[in-house]
Amino acid sequence: MKNKIKLGLMYAFFGELGVHNFMEKEKKIGIINIIISLLYFFAAIGILLLTLLIIGLFSFTKINNYNTSYISVQEAYLAPKLFEKGTGFWDGTKKYENIVLDTKTGLPAEFYAPAVSDLKITGKDYIDSTHTYGVGGYVVVKNTTNEEATFYSYPTTFTSNGNYTVTIIPYALEGYQGGELAQYAVYLKYRNTFNGMIEYILLKDYSKDYSEYIIDISYVLKLRGLNEVDNASIEFKILPSVSQDFSYVMFKQILFNANGNVNNYERLVNEISIVDANKSLLLGRNINGEKPNGYWSGTANKTIHSVEVTKCSFTYDTYERPYGNTTKEYAFSDLEVLRKKGYCDYDILSDGTLDISSFEVLNEEKCPILKINEVTYFFITGHKRVKIVTCEVNGYLSYTHGTDNPVYSQPPKFILGTDQRGFDIFTVLLNQIIVTLIIILVILNIIYILLILIRKIIYICKGFGYLIKKNNA
């Protein structure tokens, strides 16, 4: 009986092959047992490889320590970078085409200037709307009513001895948007200081004369015996169309001028004049409904035609803004921290002045400050103290994520770029892969345990079946 029990247990724990050797190899391993053994082997190998892979990936993410938690707007949408800037491939730059050029700066509008290179003008667009970076165009004054419409300048003062003139440069474009070129007249509108009434002086009678002309306002005042008029404007009166839905007048420029010594000269020339149609029509009332200097009003509708917008193409280094050298202000206490850490050194003179020329970088790998540009002081009981220090800094060494500690010890390279939150896409993907692999590892461990249990159950069942068969024999 004991031998039978021993034989059954041997069968259960050492497998059928062991029992067959013990029983003079009377039985061979079945196909099911072979399949389970192979699955058992591959599950063990899979668990081992996945464990090693997870450890490796986890270690890689910790070594790189790239941002995957702090939302950083300046680091958002950085281009993939593996090589240094200038290689033209995988170097953190982006190619931009058909971008609006700011003609004042000569650079792409709303792009960080130091990051722009290979700038080329690609063309010009002409649009019938105002544009922040547009230039020129023509003011279109529409009369869409059946009555006379008005268009007048921001009020100012004119005198008979100020040599005040206005140069009017109309533009005759027939059939604009299906309308009709209007007959118009030009008036000097002002408020009578004696009775407070609004009065008008005809400067140019109704006509369709669209040639350039100059009106001598001071000469007109002399003829009327007026030395000065206040709250005065140049007003255009526009007749309605007879045959079309609307009539219109176009102006390229309306230029005021006067003696350079009059009080309102600068405002006349630079604000009230329509020098650039686009710029003038960009002016709007503020939140209180107040009109800014240079705002032209009236019952007519104002619009614009043929504003010039310049387009360009360029290469943009997405890493320059967050990590390039820049200017930064430090509180003196922060500067002292860097000094105590041994990153830099400087001298404070006996009168409390920080000697800029004495500043020295002691640890280039740790000190974010390259040089001191300016120092702001304050006084306490007559003693001079440093308040703010304006410095030129190393961009990546001075970059922080909401703390006083710099994030990077060397210029970062995100091989897949960053997302809208500023997170390193490669590290985010690795973290997701790690989570996925951990889930697979858990499943494999469960399968491994189940295979062990199934194998043991099969061995036990076959062992007792073998014993029963022997007993019956």
Side-chain angles (χ1 to χ4, degrees):
M1 182 66 181
K2 290 182 179 180
N3 289 335
K4 292 181 178 180
I5 294 172
K6 185 183 291 186
L7 186 63
L9 293 174
M10 185 178 291
Y11 200 106
F13 291 98
F14 293 96
E16 190 173 327
L17 184 58
V19 174
H20 283 189
N21 288 335
F22 184 76
M23 297 296 298
E24 298 178 354
K25 300 180 182 180
E26 293 181 6
K27 193 172 182 71
K28 294 181 178 180
I29 299 174
I31 189 67
I32 295 176
N33 192 37
I34 294 174
I35 294 173
I36 292 174
S37 297
L38 289 173
L39 290 174
Y40 181 85
F41 171 77
F42 287 122
I45 294 299
I47 290 170
L48 177 62
L49 293 177
L50 279 175
T51 303
L52 293 174
L53 183 59
I54 290 170
I55 293 172
L57 292 176
F58 185 75
S59 301
F60 181 83
T61 60
K62 291 301 179 184
I63 291 171
N64 280 279
N65 195 31
Y66 282 165
N67 179 33
T68 57
S69 58
Y70 183 85
I71 296 177
S72 176
V73 176
Q74 280 200 333
E75 291 181 292
Y77 298 114
L78 297 183
K81 184 172 185 177
L82 182 60
F83 306 110
E84 293 302 321
K85 176 187 173 183
T87 58
F89 172 73
W90 211 346
D91 61 353
T93 62
K94 291 182 179 179
K95 303 289 185 182
Y96 285 92
E97 301 284 344
N98 204 36
I99 300 298
V100 173
L101 184 79
D102 184 347
T103 54
K104 291 182 180 178
T105 63
L107 293 167
E110 301 178 11
F111 281 83
Y112 184 58
V116 175
S117 61
D118 302 327
L119 178 66
K120 297 177 182 177
I121 306 299
T122 56
K124 299 178 185 294
D125 290 343
Y126 293 89
I127 60 175
D128 284 352
S129 62
T130 55
H131 194 288
T132 304
Y133 301 103
V135 176
Y138 303 92
V139 176
V140 183
V141 186
K142 289 183 178 181
N143 183 355
T144 57
T145 70
N146 294 323
E147 300 176 351
E148 190 178 67
T150 60
F151 178 61
Y152 53 87
S153 63
Y154 190 83
T156 188
T157 300
F158 296 118
T159 63
S160 60
N161 60 359
N163 290 336
Y164 287 93
T165 63
V166 58
T167 301
I168 299 170
I169 307 175
Y171 180 62
L173 177 64
E174 295 282 356
Y176 174 74
Q177 294 183 350
E180 177 187 359
L181 277 174
Q183 293 190 59
Y184 70 95
V186 186
Y187 287 84
L188 175 63
K189 179 176 75 171
Y190 67 97
R191 185 178 296 276
N192 190 311
T193 54
F194 295 104
N195 57 26
M197 300 294 291
I198 298 295
E199 297 187 5
Y200 293 87
I201 299 174
L202 179 64
L203 302 177
K204 186 177 187 297
D205 206 351
Y206 286 101
S207 71
K208 282 191 176 184
D209 178 13
Y210 281 81
S211 59
E212 178 180 337
Y213 54 94
I214 300 174
I215 297 174
D216 190 332
I217 300 172
S218 292
Y219 178 72
V220 172
L221 293 179
K222 286 179 184 178
L223 292 178
R224 291 297 186 102
L226 298 171
N227 293 324
E228 179 178 292
V229 288
D230 293 324
N231 293 314
S233 301
I234 295 296
E235 180 170 304
F236 296 89
K237 293 182 181 292
I238 304 161
L239 295 179
S241 173
V242 177
S243 58
Q244 304 298 330
D245 292 336
F246 66 92
S247 63
Y248 64 92
V249 180
M250 280 191 182
F251 299 101
K252 181 176 178 60
Q253 291 179 318
I254 302 175
L255 306 173
F256 289 95
N257 206 346
N259 285 338
N261 58 356
V262 298
N263 292 332
N264 60 347
Y265 176 78
E266 289 295 331
R267 190 173 68 169
L268 266 176
V269 173
N270 298 320
E271 295 181 5
I272 300 179
S273 293
I274 298 179
V275 179
D276 183 293
N278 180 70
K279 180 180 177 182
S280 294
L281 263 65
L282 281 172
L283 293 174
R285 297 173 185 263
N286 62 23
I287 57 175
N288 297 320
E290 298 171 343
K291 302 173 185 177
N293 290 343
Y295 185 83
W296 285 64
S297 306
T299 60
N301 295 328
K302 292 184 298 183
T303 184
I304 198 162
H305 171 63
S306 195
V307 173
E308 181 182 282
V309 180
T310 304
K311 298 296 183 71
C312 64
S313 65
F314 56 93
T315 301
Y316 191 74
D317 182 6
T318 59
Y319 288 69
E320 180 64 29
R321 185 160 199 165
Y323 311 124
N325 293 351
T326 185
T327 301
K328 184 177 180 180
E329 290 185 345
Y330 282 85
F332 182 62
S333 57
D334 295 332
L335 192 65
E336 282 288 276
V337 170
L338 296 176
R339 184 187 191 186
K340 290 176 181 178
K341 287 181 177 180
Y343 297 167
C344 63
D345 196 16
Y346 48 85
D347 295 331
I348 301 293
L349 304 180
S350 58
D351 64 349
T353 301
L354 192 157
D355 183 5
I356 293 177
S357 63
S358 69
F359 177 80
E360 181 183 5
V361 177
L362 302 178
N363 189 333
E364 293 183 356
E365 295 182 355
K366 297 289 186 180
C367 183
I369 300 176
L370 300 175
K371 69 176 183 177
I372 296 175
N373 295 332
E374 185 180 357
V375 181
T376 304
Y377 299 92
F378 69 101
F379 292 86
I380 298 179
T381 63
H383 295 286
K384 193 175 186 179
R385 296 288 185 268
V386 178
K387 183 178 182 181
I388 299 294
V389 182
T390 304
C391 308
E392 183 179 332
V393 297
N394 182 308
Y396 67 86
L397 283 179
S398 63
Y399 198 86
T400 63
H401 285 164
T403 66
D404 294 331
N405 300 318
V407 179
Y408 308 107
S409 59
Q410 58 184 1
K413 293 179 180 179
F414 303 103
I415 63 174
L416 294 181
T418 60
D419 62 15
Q420 73 277 10
R421 302 163 296 181
F423 292 0
D424 175 32
I425 294 175
F426 184 66
T427 304
V428 170
L429 288 176
L430 283 184
N431 289 335
Q432 292 173 349
I433 290 171
I434 288 171
V435 172
T436 303
L437 291 178
I438 289 174
I439 293 172
I440 294 173
L441 183 61
V442 170
I443 294 172
L444 280 177
N445 274 284
I446 293 172
I447 293 172
Y448 184 78
I449 293 170
L450 289 176
L451 286 172
I452 292 174
L453 292 175
I454 292 171
R455 189 178 186 187
K456 296 306 178 185
I457 291 170
I458 291 173
Y459 286 164
I460 291 171
C461 292
K462 285 192 174 183
F464 282 106
Y466 182 77
L467 290 176
I468 292 170
K469 183 177 179 181
K470 285 291 184 180
N471 285 333
N472 291 334

